[in-house]
Amino acid sequence: MKTFIRVVELWVPDRTRTRLTFGGGLYGEGLSAFKAVSEDMTFGHDEGLPGKAWASGHPVILTKFANSYFKRTDQAVEAGLTCGVAVPVFAGEFLQAVMVLFCGADEQHVGAVELWHNDPDVSHEMGLVDGYYGTADMFEFNSRHTRFPRGFGLPGRTWKAGMPLLIKDLHDTKSFLRWEDASKVGINLGVGIPYSTANDRTFVLTFLSAQATPIARRFEIWVPDETRSRLVFHAGDCSERADLASIYAGKSIGKGHGSIGGAWATGMPALSENLSEDGSIAAAHAYASGMNQMVALPVIERASLKAMLTWYL
């Protein structure tokens, strides 16, 4: 199964906290050359895609590498990568890390990564900053001409909830306002990630996943329990149709335990290249289901963890 996102990288501040250095990555098949180039790079504030996200203080999406601030254009083109998304993770005003996602392209490449934003001085609605849609041209056209009030559609509902959100079976879900366009191209799952900046600007990052080229094979949302000592399962979706709520009923992940608990303890995103060595209940079940890699992205608001979004490859 070929996933829509081909590469996930972490960029972390160096000891001086003036440059970002390579902090690990997950790379799809045939991308070892791109990885080798990335491992030797560093980025200053406002330099390259990781540095641009650091400087802007919010997610950045780059749908064309040529003639842009992107630093690895030739290598990305050679690797078949076509779009980059950088998500900075802050604890208050201090940068913890930047997660960078790369999408690829082929004839059957359907799905979307979108960045939405509300500017309260201009509108009470959320509009598209930019998005990457693979070959879903008509869905892209309609998305670029759609705006969402708070509480409506995936961007608006995520905005209102202030929490990561999963919407399954989009072709049957009238709460997903673009469901007709989505069903035509096979998009069946939506994931919304809220992002609030230090100056209270509101963004929402959305992943729209299709059956043939899913964003990931499994998504999970974990949240702190009432004592804020453990993470408990909140929502999820699995391409293997596993009943995740039943599997995780009565189970939890302690702070510092495995990649998910480690991401909570440090406030930094985490990548697991080998789930067999991870140790958490979530990693163990994913590995038993044939998945090998995991991404854990903390959703932080006012220097406090609201939720942990994980996905498995």
Side-chain angles (χ1 to χ4, degrees):
M1 181 185 289
K2 183 177 283 188
T3 53
F4 192 75
I5 293 175
R6 303 282 176 81
V7 174
V8 183
E9 296 177 340
L10 286 184
W11 295 89
V12 297
D14 66 6
R15 285 182 296 176
T16 68
R17 302 194 67 85
T18 59
R19 296 193 70 80
L20 297 174
T21 61
F22 183 77
L26 303 177
Y27 295 83
E29 188 177 339
L31 292 168
S32 56
F34 186 75
K35 177 182 180 181
V37 170
S38 301
E39 287 175 333
D40 292 332
M41 296 198 72
T42 66
F43 296 95
H45 191 257
D46 206 26
E47 181 183 13
L49 185 54
K52 184 66 70 174
W54 179 12
S56 65
H58 59 74
V60 172
I61 184 166
L62 188 59
T63 56
K64 293 180 180 178
F65 297 143
N67 302 314
S68 74
Y69 52 81
F70 190 72
K71 297 292 185 183
R72 295 170 280 172
T73 300
D74 292 343
Q75 294 86 354
V77 171
E78 188 173 336
L81 303 175
T82 49
C83 167
V85 182
V87 184
V89 176
F90 287 90
E93 64 180 307
F94 303 107
L95 181 75
Q96 300 289 85
V98 177
M99 177 179 286
V100 178
L101 315 171
F102 289 101
C103 302
D106 55 48
E107 291 181 2
Q108 286 77 42
H109 196 64
V110 173
V113 180
E114 305 172 315
L115 182 63
W116 300 83
H117 174 51
N118 167 257
D119 184 344
D121 294 334
V122 176
S123 171
H124 65 281
E125 297 176 315
M126 189 161 266
L128 187 72
V129 177
D130 207 349
Y132 178 73
Y133 297 87
T135 57
D137 295 337
M138 186 54 67
F139 186 79
E140 174 177 0
F141 177 83
N142 290 335
S143 298
R144 292 188 182 280
H145 293 83
T146 302
R147 300 184 69 82
F148 294 97
R150 184 181 174 92
F152 291 86
L154 178 58
R157 287 179 62 189
T158 305
W159 177 17
K160 183 177 180 179
M163 287 279 291
L165 197 64
L166 283 168
I167 300 181
K168 309 174 188 180
D169 301 319
L170 293 182
H171 56 284
D172 292 329
T173 306
K174 300 302 186 287
S175 61
F176 185 75
L177 300 185
R178 296 171 287 167
W179 67 272
E180 287 187 279
D181 295 323
S183 65
K184 290 176 184 176
V185 295
I187 289 174
N188 65 331
L189 173 71
V191 181
I193 308 169
Y195 195 98
S196 57
T197 67
N199 57 359
D200 292 327
R201 297 173 67 196
T202 302
F203 291 82
V204 169
L205 187 66
T206 59
F207 295 156
L208 302 176
S209 190
Q211 288 176 312
T213 50
I215 296 287
R217 296 172 63 188
R218 176 181 291 184
F219 280 99
E220 296 171 352
I221 299 170
W222 295 79
V223 298
D225 66 4
E226 291 180 358
T227 66
R228 295 194 66 83
S229 62
R230 307 189 72 80
L231 294 173
V232 294
F233 179 76
H234 178 71
D237 181 80
C238 180
S239 62
E240 309 295 324
R241 299 296 179 187
D243 184 353
L244 298 177
S246 296
I247 291 166
Y248 296 134
K251 298 179 172 66
S252 61
I253 297 174
K255 185 175 285 190
H257 191 208
S259 297
I260 298 174
W264 183 19
T266 62
M268 292 179 63
L271 306 179
S272 179
E273 293 188 72
N274 187 349
L275 290 180
S276 66
E277 301 174 354
D278 193 278
S280 73
I281 179 65
H285 188 271
Y287 182 72
S289 301
M291 301 166 203
N292 295 309
Q293 301 176 326
M294 178 179 65
V295 180
L297 178 64
V299 177
I300 297 172
E301 185 178 55
R302 302 190 188 281
S304 181
L305 181 79
K306 292 203 74 175
M308 189 71 67
L309 174 67
T310 65
W311 65 92
Y312 299 80
L313 307 172

